[in-house]
């Protein structure tokens, strides 16, 4: 029996494959489905769907997203636990992410922030004791 996801979220993207690949490589998401204009992933018990902008013209943000230079994901940040923050940070940058904050210690954990495909902000973190144990 497959357990239903605890939380689901949808990301609208100009390049579905790029965002799906980013989530797999950087955050360790499991790719469940991939089709032109759509991808489904599981991450930490949650379902993440990536939809191409044009896949649903009835979406309330369809016309706003169609404008060139629109800021996506504004006001949201996806916080994801990873096994190795430094490695995830390097991978994100290699995939073209913009560095917001390199790995640093904060309140007992190691974390960093990057802006990934389509301007989505990701905060990647791991417990500090895990980061320093060998």
């Amino acid at each position: 029996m497959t357990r239903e996801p605890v939380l689901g979220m949808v990301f609208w993207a100009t390049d579905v494959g790029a965002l799906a690949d980013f989530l797999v490589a950087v955050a360790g998401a499991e790719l469940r489905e991939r089709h032109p204009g759509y991808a489904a992933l599981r991450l930490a018990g949650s379902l993440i769907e990536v939809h191409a902008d044009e896949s649903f013209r009835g979406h309330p943000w369809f016309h706003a997203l169609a404008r060139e230079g629109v800021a996506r994901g504004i006001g949201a940040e996806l916080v994801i636990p990873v096994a190795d923050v430094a490695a995830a940070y390097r991978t994100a940058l290699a995939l073209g992410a913009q560095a917001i904050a390199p790995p640093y210690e904060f309140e007992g954990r190691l974390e960093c922030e990057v802006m990934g495909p389509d301007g989505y902000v990701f905060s990647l973190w791991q417990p500090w004791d895990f980061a320093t144990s060998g």
Side-chain angles (χ1 to χ4, degrees), residues 47-66:
L47 170 67
I48 298 175
E49 293 183 348
V50 182
H51 294 265
D53 289 340
E54 65 275 2
S55 64
F56 178 49
R57 295 183 185 277
H59 185 274
W61 293 109
F62 176 77
H63 294 292
L65 292 175

Side-chain angles (χ1 to χ4, degrees), residues 21-45:
D21 291 346
F22 183 87
L23 289 166
V24 169
V26 175
E30 174 193 353
L31 183 63
R32 303 296 296 264
E33 290 183 58
R34 185 176 182 149
H35 310 284
Y38 175 78
L41 306 100
R42 285 189 73 98
L43 178 63

Side-chain angles (χ1 to χ4, degrees), residues 45-104:
S46 298
L47 170 67
I48 298 175
E49 293 183 348
V50 182
H51 294 265
D53 289 340
E54 65 275 2
S55 64
F56 178 49
R57 295 183 185 277
H59 185 274
W61 293 109
F62 176 77
H63 294 292
L65 292 175
R67 289 189 215 123
E68 179 138 356
V70 69
R72 295 169 176 267
I74 198 162
E77 180 175 338
L78 190 61
V79 180
I80 303 172
V82 296
D84 184 335
V85 165
Y89 181 75
R90 287 190 303 272
T91 300
L93 296 183
L95 291 173
Q98 177 182 338
I100 296 174
Y104 61 93

